[in-house]
């Protein structure tokens, strides 16, 4: 959510190396980054800051693994979770990119609402716009994008406890009514 | 020459529920209850208490004219009992798929003797019913395992 | 769900999860699955899918090049070879807008195909009103499968300004439609409704017409009126060119504890006989009251009446009573509780006399009171029963030459059955005592009579079994000898008139009974032993009866003096030999015959031989010969066979009720000869042509009405498969007369499941 912008970012990892040439610090080994409601996990994290103070992070996962990203949505009791072999976080545009075997899930409270899978997913936090591109690196068969959208909010509010869905009793004339050749 | 008195078939089940009240089913229920240590549930019995369930979805008595003379007098009738049955376990495993049994008898007819023919038809229907019950008893006895 | 093992031994289990109809409550809970090459969108607001887009929810699948889906109002917009598959019905077209759940929207230049009857067509536009109703503008509708022949056009096609399809009512309503059959307009109709399935729906049923030697040109326009789910009526107005206008009708009602059916027709001023003709038949069965304490009371009525004696001749096949010249009017009020049963019955006959073939009218039972007390479970295994009956017998004295009478009788019976799987023995003793009081004195001047007859019988039998093999097939062979002795002393009944007795047929059911006569007016004096053996061949693992042979004969130790009026006493010491055989060795063939052979005269008294050859669907030949010596000799042949077999075209086996593929001719028929009259008495011969999307039928029917005259009728019909049946209800005479006749399109064959056309 927006409040994450001015929250302190703290990072835990096995090791830290500062790369002066690229003005970036590189964390390696079970890296966990938290910034307000944002949580990122991965094997290696490169963080760099631009002159205006926006931060850019690139998280790469251990080979065969996927990095993990999680953030609360603005003003809603909903969470966005995403996974991908590489996760790029752009502080300035408040955009997250999941690259290769990308998956994004949206939770409404505890229940899973939407779910996307593709080879590249970009998610604009401010405008709530996401784009999913297919391609060979998609986890779904045939490289196609697959999305599962939850039923609409209004419809799914469980107004009354749903009675078990038994088919309504249809009164039909039994074939016997035609009567056999007596 | 190898013949010996028929012995009661050893049924592979010890309790049965027949879910129909039709004439043949009632006769079969009476026959089965004379089999030692066989528990025959009443029509209103609960399915899960029986090892096997016999459904009789259809049992129909038919009476068809098969012979008329030139001046419209009926000379030959054919009586039939047509029934369908299937046997399953309460869990739904199908032991005998839905099978149709048909018994038929020819009976002569003439309009003047219609009252006596009515009694004779009752006799033939009972005879067909006994044949059907015997055939069902053999079929139930032929089940090897549940 | 139940489990059956498939060929490879993998247990298959049926699952209830694949539901044919999604319950409405669940419908709006379903998620939407979206697939495509590229997806963009805003959560909970819109989703845009490009490149082979596919949207799937519940039973609806939408495919298109580009698909926009707006969650808030559940609106889907699709562009570029759009295809919707909803419950198996497929719509294709360039552009679509649809509210998916409400299934409301429009579709431009669609082509569509319905799963249920394979009907398809094109239209300018489809407006989906809701998930049950849609309107197709300027549409075509046919069920003729396209063939890739140059210049191919469907045999029949219906073009309509608009077709309103209603799944709830299961009907299609076409407005200013034209049905062309081989480009010949058959039905220019302002508005016509056609059934999408066979559910009951009020409306005009297709008209039927035919040509008849008695009534001339016949045109019948039935109207079906679906009054209520458990009540309906069919009005059958009929125009007969040579006779006038007839109004017929049928009304049915079905209640939880009773049901009934009334059929009636009236033809005022029938030119054939210059009088009013009418006829009705009413049947009612009901349980008046059923409680454990008070028992079960049931009423059943079967009333039949017609206007005159020639009714059966002039209104063929329309009388509900089986015996067309003997119409019963019968009412039975029965009560049963525990061991008791009682009934009051009134039975009256209307006999349609014919001067060339008179019938001695049977007796009316006006009324008959009857009670029975039966104890099947007395101690020491005894079974006893007591029956009492009093009946008033009325009839036309001039024809029966007997006085009417009131007869009452008491019948007490006691037996002790010993039964075991391998043997049984049943001694039985019964006493029958009857009293008569006649309206007029008999020949000997008596106006009353009484008679008491005791009977003793002993029935016994053994059942032997052994495994055997015939023609290389393992069977269980049984040998069932049976002996039945009966002794009834002689009581003179020669003076007694006969009201309800007649000689039973001589067959395997009646030969082991105490009295050779049915009814209670003649109880024969018997001192005879009936011996018989039956042998059955049984399939060991299913218990099915493959063959059965039997013979029986009666040894008489003294003459039988009690006979029906005008019949000589029976003196042979050895009765006719009864032979019986039935074969079901291979399912295709079946043979059934009984023979009553009289050794003294060296000829058979009663013979019935019937055979059936039924190798597959739509291939059947059955024939039967039935003889009653000096009384009737009938031959009955029925068949249904594809004519294409003659030139080797065996067609496809599509299972029952689906025909055998296109362009096939079928010959169908049933012929009934009365050899005594040396005439073809009842003939129905038909020709059916199955052109896959329409079926043509022509049936010639010839019913003899006297020894010299007969009524012939030609009925013809075109059935547009999936649309409606035009032409006379030709199918009913075929179904009633030809044993095991199979419809080329049987409506109640299982409808295709939506999963059979799954995207």
């Amino acid at each position: 959510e927006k409040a994450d912008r001015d929250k302190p970012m703290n990072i835990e990892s096995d090791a830290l190396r500062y790369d002066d040439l690229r003005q970036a610090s590189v964390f390696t080994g079970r890296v966990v980054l938290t910034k307000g409601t944002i949580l990122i996990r991965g094997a290696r994290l490169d963080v760099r800051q631009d002159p205006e103070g926006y931060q850019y992070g690139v998280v790469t996962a251990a080979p065969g693994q996927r990095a993990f990203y999680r953030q609360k949505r603005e003003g809603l009791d909903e969470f966005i979770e995403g996974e991908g072999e590489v996760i790029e976080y752009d502080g300035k545009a408040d955009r997250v990119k999941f690259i290769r075997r990308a998956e994004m899930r949206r939770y409404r409270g505890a229940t899973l609402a939407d779910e996307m899978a593709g080879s590249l997913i970009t998610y604009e936090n401010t405008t709530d716009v996401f784009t999913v591109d297919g391609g060979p690196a998609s986890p779904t068969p045939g490289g196609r994008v697959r999305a599962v959208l939850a039923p609409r909010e209004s419809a799914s509010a469980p107004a009354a406890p749903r009675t078990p869905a038994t088919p309504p009793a249809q009164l039909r004339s039994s074939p016997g009514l035609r009567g056999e050749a007596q | 020459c190898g013949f010996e008195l028929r012995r009661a078939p050893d049924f592979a089940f010890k309790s049965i529920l027949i879910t129909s009240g039709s004439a043949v089913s009632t006769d079969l229920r009476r026959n089965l209850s004379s089999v030692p240590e066989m528990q025959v549930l009443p029509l209103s019995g609960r399915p899960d208490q029986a090892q096997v369930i016999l459904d009789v979805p259809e049992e129909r008595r038919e009476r068809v004219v098969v012979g008329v003379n030139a001046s419209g007098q009926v000379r030959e009738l054919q009586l039939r009992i047509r029934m369908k049955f299937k046997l399953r376990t309460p869990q739904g495993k199908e032991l005998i798929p839905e099978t149709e049994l048909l018994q038929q008898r020819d009976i002569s007819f003439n309009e003047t003797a219609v009252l006596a023919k009515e009694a004779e038809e009752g006799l033939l229907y009972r005879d067909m019913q006994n044949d059907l019950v015997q055939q069902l008893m053999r079929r139930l006895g032929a089940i090897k395992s549940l | 769900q139940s489990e059956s093992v498939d060929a490879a031994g993998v247990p298959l289990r049926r699952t209830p999860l694949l539901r044919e109809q999604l319950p409405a409550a669940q419908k709006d809970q379903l998620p939407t699955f979206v697939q495509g090459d590229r997806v963009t969108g805003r959560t909970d607001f819109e989703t845009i899918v490009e490149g082979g887009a596919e949207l799937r929810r519940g039973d609806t699948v939408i495919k298109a090049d580009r698909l926009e889906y707006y969650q808030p109002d559940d609106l889907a917009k699709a562009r570029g070879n759009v295809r919707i598959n909803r419950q198996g019905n497929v719509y294709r077209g360039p552009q679509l807008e649809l509210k998916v759940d409400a299934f409301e929207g429009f579709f431009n230049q669609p082509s569509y195909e319905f799963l249920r009857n394979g009907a398809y067509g094109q239209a300018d536009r489809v407006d989906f009103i809701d998930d049950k109703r849609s309107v197709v503008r300027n549409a075509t509708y046919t069920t003729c499968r396209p063939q890739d022949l140059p210049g191919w056009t469907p045999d029949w096609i219906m073009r309509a300004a608009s077709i309103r399809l209603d799944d709830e009512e299961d009907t299609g309503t076409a407005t200013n439609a034209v049905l062309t059959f081989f480009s010949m307009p058959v039905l220019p109709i302002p508005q016509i409704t056609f059934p999408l399935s066979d559910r009951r729906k009020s409306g005009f049923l297709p008209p039927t017409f035919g040509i008849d030697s008695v009534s001339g040109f016949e045109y019948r326009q039935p109207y079906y009126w679906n009054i209520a789910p458990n009540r309906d009526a069919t009005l059958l107005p009929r125009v007969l060119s040579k006779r006038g206008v007839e109004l017929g009708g049928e009304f049915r009602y079905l209640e939880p504890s009773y049901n009934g059916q009334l059929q009636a027709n009236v033809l005022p001023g029938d030119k054939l006989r210059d009088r009013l003709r009418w006829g009705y038949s009413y049947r009612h069965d009901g349980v008046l009251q059923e409680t454990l304490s008070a028992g079960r009371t049931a009423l059943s009525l079967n009333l039949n009446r017609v206007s005159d004696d020639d009714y059966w001749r002039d209104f063929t096949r329309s009388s509900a009573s089986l015996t067309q010249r003997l119409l019963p009017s019968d009412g039975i009020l029965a009560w049963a509780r525990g061991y008791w049963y009682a009934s009051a019955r009134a039975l009256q006959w209307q006999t349609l006399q014919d001067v060339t073939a008179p019938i001695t009218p049977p007796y009316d039972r006006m009324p008959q009171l009857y009670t029975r007390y039966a104890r099947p479970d007395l101690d020491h295994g005894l079974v006893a029963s007591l029956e009492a009956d009093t009946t008033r017998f009325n009839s036309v004295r001039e024809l029966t030459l007997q006085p009417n009478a009131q007869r009452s009788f008491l019948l007490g019976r006691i037996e002790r059955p010993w039964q075991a799987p391998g043997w049984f023995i049943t001694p039985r003793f019964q006493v029958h005592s009857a009293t008569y009081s006649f309206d007029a004195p008999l020949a000997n001047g008596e106006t009353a009579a009484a008679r008491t007859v005791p009977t003793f019988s002993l029935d016994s039998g053994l059942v032997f079994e052994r495994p055997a093999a015939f023609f290389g097939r393992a069977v269980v062979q049984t040998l069932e000898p049976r002996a039945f002795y009966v002794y009834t002393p002689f009581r003179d009944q020669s003076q007694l008139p006969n009201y309800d007795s007649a000689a039973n047929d001589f067959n395997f059911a009646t030969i082991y009974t105490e009295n050779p006569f049915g009814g209670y007016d003649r109880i024969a004096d018997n001192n005879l032993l009936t011996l018989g053996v039956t042998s059955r061949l049984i399939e060991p693992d299913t218990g099915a009866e493959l063959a059965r042979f039997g013979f029986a004969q009666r040894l008489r130790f003294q003459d039988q003096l009690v006979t029906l009026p005008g019949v000589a006493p029976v003196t042979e010491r050895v009765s006719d030999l009864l032979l019986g055989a039935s074969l079901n060795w291979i399912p295709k063939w079946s043979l059934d015959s009984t023979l009553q052979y009289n050794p003294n005269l060296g000829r058979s008294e009663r013979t019935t031989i019937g055979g059936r050859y039924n190798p597959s669907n739509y291939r059947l030949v059955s024939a039967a010969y039935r003889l009653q010596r000096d009384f009737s000799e009938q031959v009955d042949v029925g068949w249904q066979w594809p004519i294409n077999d003659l030139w080797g075209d065996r067609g496809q086996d599509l299972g029952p009720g689906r025909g055998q593929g296109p362009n096939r001719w079928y010959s169908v028929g049933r012929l009934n000869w009365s050899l005594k009259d040396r005439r073809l008495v009842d003939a129905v011969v038909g020709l059916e042509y199955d052109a896959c999307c329409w079926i043509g039928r022509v049936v010639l029917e010839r019913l003899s009405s006297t020894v010299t005259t007969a009524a012939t009728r030609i009925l013809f019909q075109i059935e547009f498969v999936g649309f409606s049946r035009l032409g006379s209800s030709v199918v009913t005479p075929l179904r009633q007369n030809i044993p095991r006749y199979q419809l080329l399109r049987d409506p109640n064959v299982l409808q295709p499941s939506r999963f059979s056309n799954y995207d």
Side-chain angles (χ1 to χ4, degrees):
Chain A
E1 54 189 9
K2 294 243 173 347
D4 298 340
R5 271 180 178 282
D6 34 36
K7 284 282 181 6
M9 173 195 288
N10 50 59
I11 304 166
E12 297 149 20
S13 75
D14 294 351
L16 162 63
R17 186 168 49 78
Y18 184 70
D19 179 343
D20 199 21
L21 183 61
R22 286 176 42 240
Q23 295 275 333
S25 41
V26 177
F27 301 83
T28 52
R30 288 180 299 132
V31 176
V32 176
L33 177 148
T34 48
K35 185 171 193 287
T37 63
I38 298 175
L39 165 72
I40 300 180
R41 274 201 302 265
R44 171 190 150 108
L45 167 65
D46 299 45
V47 177
R48 126 178 110 69
Q49 201 156 355
D50 69 1
E52 292 100 359
Y54 290 108
Q55 287 158 330
Y56 301 87
V58 174
V59 181
T60 47
Q65 301 258 332
R66 284 191 303 184
F68 174 78
Y69 169 88
R70 178 186 167 81
Q71 183 180 19
K72 184 173 176 309
R73 282 189 61 206
E74 180 56 36
L76 288 165
D77 174 16
E78 287 183 6
F79 284 87
I80 297 287
E81 262 183 20
E83 282 177 284
E85 282 176 10
V86 172
I87 299 180
E88 280 173 8
Y89 172 68
D90 173 343
K92 184 164 183 243
D94 199 356
R95 173 193 310 123
V96 185
K97 270 192 181 166
F98 304 93
I99 304 159
R100 285 194 305 282
R101 289 204 294 129
E103 256 184 59
M104 193 172 80
R105 290 180 296 277
R106 180 168 65 91
Y107 286 90
R108 208 178 277 144
T111 54
L112 169 62
D114 297 348
E115 194 184 342
M116 317 270 168
S119 68
L120 166 68
I121 301 180
T122 59
Y123 176 65
E124 311 280 344
N125 204 331
T126 46
T127 60
D128 238 349
V129 170
F130 59 86
T131 44
V132 185
D133 287 337
S138 144
T140 57
R144 299 219 340 123
V145 169
R146 190 172 55 76
V148 179
L149 310 173
R152 290 193 312 287
E153 187 62 51
S154 57
S156 72
R162 288 265 183 238
T163 51
T166 50
Q170 293 115 343
L171 173 78
R172 288 215 305 239
S173 80
S174 67
L177 244 188
R178 276 274 163 250
E180 275 313 306
Q182 267 310 327
Chain B
C1 52
F3 275 111
E4 9 158 287
L5 277 182
R6 177 173 64 167
R7 283 185 314 285
D10 37 19
F11 290 97
F13 49 86
K14 288 287 167 278
S15 63
I16 180 168
L17 167 70
I18 302 175
T19 59
S20 142
S22 67
V24 174
S25 316
T26 321
D27 248 8
L28 182 62
R29 208 174 277 125
R30 191 178 314 125
N31 260 272
L32 279 169
S33 35
S34 68
V35 173
E37 1 100 34
M38 168 70 74
Q39 193 219 350
V40 182
L41 278 76
L43 179 57
S44 53
R46 292 216 332 271
D48 45 19
Q49 282 172 345
Q51 283 178 316
V52 288
I53 296 165
L54 181 74
D55 298 319
V56 179
E58 186 191 325
E59 179 186 331
R60 263 203 329 255
R61 288 185 169 194
E62 288 169 9
R63 187 169 174 263
V64 179
V65 173
V66 287
V68 183
N69 73 3
S71 21
Q73 289 163 313
V74 173
R75 284 298 167 258
E76 299 284 349
L77 285 178
Q78 187 169 74
L79 310 179
R80 302 192 196 112
I81 297 186
R82 192 187 296 274
M83 71 176 284
K84 287 197 171 102
F85 77 99
K86 69 177 193 282
L87 191 74
R88 57 187 168 88
T89 62
Q91 296 74 22
K93 180 169 181 241
E94 206 174 63
L95 298 172
I96 304 180
E98 180 160 309
T99 325
E100 179 175 273
L101 297 182
L102 173 71
Q103 282 280 332
Q104 66 188 28
R105 297 286 190 278
D106 288 324
I107 177 171
S108 70
F109 184 85
N110 84 59
E111 278 75 4
T112 310
V114 67
L115 298 181
K117 285 295 171 185
E118 198 179 289
E120 188 179 347
E121 279 176 23
L123 203 62
L124 288 177
Y125 274 123
R126 264 194 307 282
D127 184 59
M128 285 195 265
Q129 215 170 281
N130 294 343
D131 265 11
L132 281 173
V133 168
Q134 288 311 324
Q135 206 172 342
L136 282 168
M137 290 286 275
R138 281 188 183 282
R139 292 240 166 153
L140 294 177
I143 302 276
K144 300 286 180 298
S145 65
L146 290 194
Chain C
Q1 72 273 25
S2 70
E3 190 180 326
S4 60
V5 183
D6 82 341
V10 171
L12 300 176
R13 290 178 64 82
R14 278 187 228 198
T15 156
L17 298 180
L18 281 179
R19 297 185 67 116
E20 194 65 29
Q21 293 291 345
L22 293 173
Q26 262 180 352
K27 248 197 163 151
D28 48 27
Q29 285 295 305
L30 295 170
T32 314
F33 294 90
V34 175
Q35 267 192 23
D37 292 349
R38 195 162 177 285
V39 172
T40 58
R42 274 172 295 160
T43 47
D44 261 350
F45 190 69
E46 84 209 345
T47 315
I48 295 147
V49 186
E50 279 135 343
E54 187 183 307
L55 181 144
R56 178 186 297 272
R57 172 196 284 162
D59 52 19
T60 311
V61 178
I62 303 175
K63 291 185 178 173
D65 296 346
R66 179 185 158 79
L67 189 65
E68 291 149 24
Y69 177 59
Y70 301 93
Q71 275 98 327
D73 40 30
D74 184 29
L75 174 65
K77 286 186 180 158
R79 297 276 173 300
N81 44 58
V82 181
R83 174 191 167 95
I84 305 183
N85 179 330
R86 183 162 181 287
Q87 292 181 349
N89 300 328
V90 175
Y91 305 85
R92 264 187 294 269
Q95 192 226 341
L96 157 86
E97 263 188 46
L98 182 72
K99 288 193 158 66
V100 181
D101 213 26
F103 211 77
E104 185 199 324
F106 68 87
F107 202 149
N108 286 347
Q109 280 92 33
S111 71
Y112 40 81
E113 184 172 351
F114 300 122
L115 169 72
R116 197 185 307 229
N117 45 32
Y120 67 94
Q122 292 84 22
D124 284 356
R125 180 184 157 99
V126 172
D127 287 315
F128 299 108
I129 300 164
D130 59 28
D131 59 356
K132 285 282 188 290
R133 274 162 282 277
S134 55
V135 178
V136 192
R137 306 247 177 265
N138 182 341
T140 66
Y141 180 93
T142 177
T143 49
C144 299
R145 307 290 341 133
Q147 275 127 20
D148 41 27
L149 310 166
W152 175 85
T153 58
D155 294 353
W156 68 268
I157 188 160
M158 187 181 72
R159 289 186 179 78
S162 82
I163 303 180
R164 205 179 115 74
L165 297 168
D166 184 330
D167 271 357
E168 202 144 43
E169 292 291 324
D170 268 327
T171 52
T173 313
T175 49
N176 41 56
V178 175
L179 182 81
T180 52
F181 181 52
F182 288 103
S183 64
M184 201 203 3
V186 165
L187 264 177
I189 1 125
Q191 203 221 14
I192 180 167
T193 55
F194 53 91
L196 291 181
S197 78
D198 284 280
R199 263 161 45 128
R200 303 176 323 161
K201 178 201 89 43
S202 299
F204 283 102
L205 298 178
T208 68
F209 30 87
I211 303 157
D212 180 321
S213 64
V214 171
S215 323
F217 185 80
E218 166 194 334
Y219 175 80
R220 177 199 303 246
Q221 173 52 61
Y223 179 81
Y224 178 78
W225 177 24
N226 186 5
I227 306 163
N230 58 359
R231 248 178 241 110
D232 69 10
T234 316
L235 305 177
L236 298 157
R238 190 164 67 141
V239 176
L240 305 167
S241 62
K242 282 189 188 163
R243 294 169 62 183
V245 176
E246 175 208 45
L247 179 62
E250 185 185 297
F251 169 66
R252 300 181 311 175
Y253 54 90
L254 172 68
E255 299 295 339
S257 66
Y258 62 90
N259 62 72
Q261 174 171 337
L262 169 69
Q263 270 170 327
N265 71 331
V266 59
L267 175 54
D270 180 356
K271 298 199 191 67
L272 200 60
R273 313 262 178 204
D274 293 332
R275 49 161 301 177
L276 165 71
R277 317 289 298 277
W278 53 268
Y280 74 84
S281 152
Y282 175 57
R283 197 178 297 261
H284 169 93
D285 293 293
V287 176
L288 303 182
Q289 169 248 15
E290 183 160 15
T291 61
L292 214 51
S293 55
R296 182 178 188 279
T297 319
L299 170 72
S300 84
L301 300 173
N302 174 13
L303 312 177
N304 300 282
R305 209 114 192 101
V306 290
S307 53
D308 58 284
D309 280 357
D310 295 314
Y311 183 86
W312 68 278
R313 209 175 265 135
D314 303 339
F315 296 88
T316 51
R317 291 212 196 291
S318 62
S319 96
S321 141
L322 259 180
T323 49
Q324 49 190 345
R325 286 189 56 192
L326 186 66
L327 305 177
S329 290
D330 187 0
I332 304 172
L333 183 66
W335 169 80
R337 178 173 167 279
Y339 299 120
W340 285 94
Y341 171 83
S343 75
R345 181 177 186 192
L347 169 61
Q348 202 173 25
W349 301 100
Q350 180 184 11
T351 314
L352 305 185
Q353 288 301 354
D354 174 350
V355 98
T356 60
I359 298 177
T360 326
Y363 276 86
D364 300 342
R365 294 177 190 266
M366 294 295 282
Q368 173 193 18
L369 304 177
Y370 169 81
T371 60
R372 181 181 67 233
Y373 178 68
R375 290 299 302 271
D377 49 6
L378 291 176
D379 33 27
H380 312 305
L382 286 170
V383 173
S385 72
L386 183 65
E387 290 170 68
D389 175 305
T390 173
T391 310
R392 169 91 190 122
F393 287 106
N394 281 347
S395 188
V396 180
R397 257 187 234 118
E398 299 74 24
L399 292 175
T400 60
L401 311 175
Q402 285 180 162
N404 293 335
Q406 174 82 23
R407 181 193 72 184
S408 315
F409 73 80
L410 260 175
L411 174 61
R413 180 181 285 151
I414 186 158
E415 61 185 45
R416 175 47 170 112
W418 280 278
Q419 257 171 348
W423 54 272
F424 71 91
I425 188 161
T426 316
R428 167 187 296 164
F429 178 73
Q430 72 177 30
V431 175
H432 180 277
S433 85
T435 60
Y436 293 81
S437 75
F438 306 107
D439 292 359
L442 300 179
N444 58 18
E446 299 294 338
T447 59
R451 171 208 62 198
T452 305
V453 189
T455 301
F456 167 74
S457 73
L458 179 66
D459 192 357
S460 61
L462 300 168
V463 180
F464 294 101
E465 264 185 14
R466 71 171 181 182
F470 287 88
F471 309 114
R473 188 173 181 179
V475 290
V476 169
Q477 183 182 16
T478 73
L479 193 63
E480 298 162 39
R482 183 170 178 182
F484 176 77
Y485 172 75
V486 60
Y487 172 72
T488 310
F490 169 70
R491 291 293 182 274
D492 181 12
Q493 295 157 49
S494 53
Q495 298 307 320
L496 289 181
N498 169 24
Y499 297 105
D500 70 350
S501 276
N504 282 340
D505 283 359
F506 196 66
N507 57 39
F508 282 91
T510 57
I511 195 168
Y512 296 109
T513 54
E514 286 83 354
N515 192 1
F517 300 118
Y520 294 101
D521 281 331
R522 284 297 180 278
I523 299 181
D525 55 327
N526 284 329
N527 182 355
L528 58 83
L529 176 66
T530 309
L531 296 173
V533 178
T534 308
S535 171
R536 303 171 206 254
L537 303 181
I538 290 170
E539 173 102 334
D541 44 20
T542 65
E545 196 179 86
L546 301 179
R548 175 200 341 211
F549 307 94
F551 84 89
Q553 194 161 33
R554 273 184 178 161
L555 310 178
R556 200 178 293 285
F557 302 121
Q558 71 189 72
D559 294 352
Q560 177 192 323
L561 305 177
V562 172
T563 59
L564 290 169
V567 175
V570 179
T571 55
E572 300 102 348
R573 283 294 174 266
V574 174
S575 82
D576 292 347
L577 180 62
L578 181 63
L579 299 165
S582 81
L583 280 171
N584 291 301
W585 192 257
I586 27 176
K588 292 205 269 267
W589 285 93
S590 100
L591 181 75
D592 228 313
S593 75
T594 53
L595 180 72
Q596 177 190 341
Y597 179 72
N598 181 333
N600 310 4
L601 308 173
R603 59 178 190 179
S604 74
E605 296 300 323
R606 162 91 170 137
T607 314
T608 57
I609 301 174
R612 188 180 64 238
Y613 175 57
N614 182 355
S616 78
N617 290 318
Y618 301 107
R619 287 190 180 85
L620 162 90
V621 177
S622 75
Y625 168 79
R626 295 185 180 87
L627 163 75
Q628 290 172 58
R629 184 62 63 192
D630 308 331
F631 190 65
S632 89
E633 195 171 1
Q634 307 278 137
V635 172
D636 184 21
V637 173
W639 74 89
Q640 175 176 24
W641 205 272
I643 302 173
N644 293 36
D645 281 10
L646 299 183
W647 53 80
D649 164 8
R650 302 283 300 169
Q652 310 141 23
D653 182 2
L654 306 171
R658 290 201 174 83
Q660 287 187 333
N663 309 340
R664 283 183 73 74
W665 295 86
Y666 297 86
S667 114
V668 182
R670 186 275 182 87
L671 304 175
N672 197 312
W673 280 276
S674 161
L675 300 185
K676 198 163 182 299
D677 306 323
R678 270 189 298 289
R679 269 175 68 80
L680 179 61
V681 167
D682 179 345
V684 177
V685 181
L687 195 62
E688 288 180 306
Y689 175 70
D690 180 352
C692 175
C693 60
W694 61 276
I695 296 172
R697 275 194 193 89
V698 179
V699 170
L700 180 71
E701 203 181 46
R702 187 171 182 285
L703 286 159
S704 82
S705 45
T706 67
V707 188
T708 50
T709 62
T712 44
R713 198 159 72 137
I714 303 166
L715 312 162
F716 56 90
Q717 175 185 60
I718 306 171
E719 172 179 346
F720 297 108
V721 171
F723 185 55
S724 81
R725 282 200 184 104
L726 299 186
S728 51
S729 58
V730 161
V731 173
T732 7
L734 295 181
R735 269 180 102 151
Q736 272 164 356
N737 287 296
I738 297 163
R740 290 177 187 259
Y741 166 76
Q742 282 181 315
L743 279 167
L744 286 173
R745 293 296 180 282
D746 194 339
N748 37 36
V749 158
L750 229 47
Q751 292 300 349
S753 141
R754 72 182 171 95
F755 297 105
S756 60
N757 184 6
Y758 198 75
D759 274 0

